[in-house]
Amino acid sequence: MSLLTLGLLYRSVFAAPDTAAAWRALLATALGGAGRGPVLAALALVPVNWGLEAWKWHRLARHLEPVRFGRSLRAVLVGLTLGFATPNRVGDYAGRILELKSRRVSALGAVFLGRYCQLVATVVAGGAGLLYFLLTFYLAGYPAAQLGVIVTAVVVCGLVLVPLYRSRLLVAALGLWRPLRRFRPALAVMPTYPARALHAVLALSGLRYAVFCGQFLLLLRAYGVGTALGPGLAAVAGTFLFKSLVPSLNALADVGVRELSATHLFGLLGQAPLPVLSASLSLWVINIALPSAAGLLLVPGLRVWRGRSA
């Protein structure tokens, strides 16, 4: 499916001579003209983005064992690299767990907790973004339906917080279904995190989400996409939500999901697909591809490889 999606994107955008020429012109404008400043600003936010993720993991991991921030940053970059080609980025779990000295089963639950906090930020912001499009483009003139979707959005946003602050219920529910019982030992660490730690991790997740949105908006500006700030943020939030909810085989699959979502939502705002697609691809390159390449340099130093060498 992911290869089919990428193939359709290639045929519709890059293979056609006219659009290929237009894309080259867009790149020249973004990298060498008026768009250079926004592109450089988006690049400058890459260390902030992954620094926040490393800080979040540091906050979670130190609950299990003493850990320095440098090791947390290393674990995040290695996990990003290992997760690049694994289904649903499960390699991200391995990269972080292997950097710990002990309690690796509990570390699995800690990684899940961090990813779930990021999902909460994505669902809350993305729900608000999609709500804007539903009320503006699909349900205008239907007040009862509008009220229904507003109530539904509020309920969903409330429900996603339940497993976070009532994690004992989640652990107990896993015991009711035999195929999921194997995850109980790992997720049993979640109720041991105090509310203050959860608040901090959620705040860091929200900050990282804001950085992602800022990068996307800067790149959209660099490629000449002109939308008002509110609708533009709604489209960006909706795009991130679609990408998070669709399972992927690897990081490349995320490209197709995000690009199709972005072009559709920004298309509703009257924007041409090519600049939006270029901005979305650039976001993936600077935030995923380049840091994954950097993390590749750290993989040979993993403790598991050092142990095998010894």
Side-chain angles (χ1 to χ4, degrees), residues 256-275:
V257 174
R258 186 173 54 246
E259 273 55 68
L260 288 176
S261 304
T263 53
H264 174 71
L265 293 177
F266 278 96
L268 294 175
L269 300 177
Q271 300 300 316
L274 189 58

Side-chain angles (χ1 to χ4, degrees), residues 57 60 93 107-117 163 170 187 190:
W57 173 239
L60 291 166
Y93 287 81
L108 186 65
V111 178
F112 174 81
L113 180 58
R115 293 183 69 170
Y116 189 80
C117 286
L170 174 63
L187 297 185
M190 291 177 60

Side-chain angles (χ1 to χ4, degrees), residues 193-205:
Y193 281 90
R196 190 168 76 173
L198 296 178
H199 296 337
V201 175
L202 264 181
L204 290 170
S205 299

Side-chain angles (χ1 to χ4, degrees), residues 5-290:
T5 302
L6 293 173
L8 290 173
L9 285 171
Y10 178 81
R11 283 179 59 90
S12 61
V13 177
F14 302 110
D18 293 340
T19 54
W23 191 58
R24 287 193 294 269
L26 275 173
L27 282 176
T29 301
L31 299 178
R36 181 183 299 174
V39 170
L40 292 176
L43 281 169
L45 288 173
V46 173
V48 178
N49 180 9
W50 291 107
L52 287 171
E53 179 63 21
W55 189 7
K56 185 172 72 175
W57 173 239
H58 176 69
R59 187 67 182 81
L60 291 166
R62 75 183 188 184
H63 182 72
L64 305 176
E65 67 177 57
V67 59
R68 291 177 285 108
F69 177 79
R71 275 181 57 203
S72 299
L73 179 60
R74 173 194 176 95
V76 165
L77 291 178
V78 171
L80 177 66
T81 302
L82 296 179
F84 190 84
T86 53
N88 287 316
R89 298 186 183 179
V90 294
D92 182 42
Y93 287 81
R96 303 189 190 203
I97 292 171
L98 290 174
E99 280 290 339
L100 295 180
K101 297 178 181 179
S102 62
R103 299 192 64 183
R104 290 183 173 177
V105 174
S106 296
L108 186 65
V111 178
F112 174 81
L113 180 58
R115 293 183 69 170
Y116 189 80
C117 286
Q118 198 65 54
L119 180 65
V120 169
T122 302
V123 169
V124 172
L130 291 183
L131 196 60
Y132 167 80
F133 283 95
L134 287 173
L135 299 180
T136 304
F137 296 98
Y138 296 102
L139 300 177
Y142 300 94
Q146 290 179 336
L147 179 61
V149 296
I150 291 173
V151 172
T152 301
V154 172
V155 170
V156 169
C157 290
L159 288 176
V160 296
L161 291 172
V162 173
L164 187 61
Y165 287 99
R166 294 292 183 268
S167 52
R168 294 186 186 277
L169 298 178
L170 174 63
V171 175
L174 292 178
L176 300 178
W177 194 18
R178 181 173 295 178
L180 296 179
R181 288 178 185 173
R182 72 182 95 172
F183 299 110
R184 289 187 66 183
L187 297 185
V189 73
M190 291 177 60
T192 67
Y193 281 90
R196 190 168 76 173
L198 296 178
H199 296 337
V201 175
L202 264 181
L204 290 170
S205 299
L207 285 174
R208 185 165 180 250
Y209 185 87
V211 170
F212 261 123
C213 291
Q215 288 177 302
F216 204 171
L217 291 174
L218 285 168
L219 292 171
L220 288 166
R221 180 179 176 185
Y223 285 102
V225 177
T227 60
L229 181 60
L233 276 174
V236 169
T239 298
F240 288 156
L241 179 61
F242 280 131
K243 194 275 294 183
S244 298
L245 295 182
V246 176
S248 60
L249 295 177
N250 50 50
L252 289 174
D254 287 345
V255 177
V257 174
R258 186 173 54 246
E259 273 55 68
L260 288 176
S261 304
T263 53
H264 174 71
L265 293 177
F266 278 96
L268 294 175
L269 300 177
Q271 300 300 316
L274 189 58
V276 175
L277 181 63
S278 300
S280 189
L281 284 171
S282 299
L283 183 71
W284 178 82
V285 169
I286 67 173
N287 272 319
I288 303 298
L290 293 180

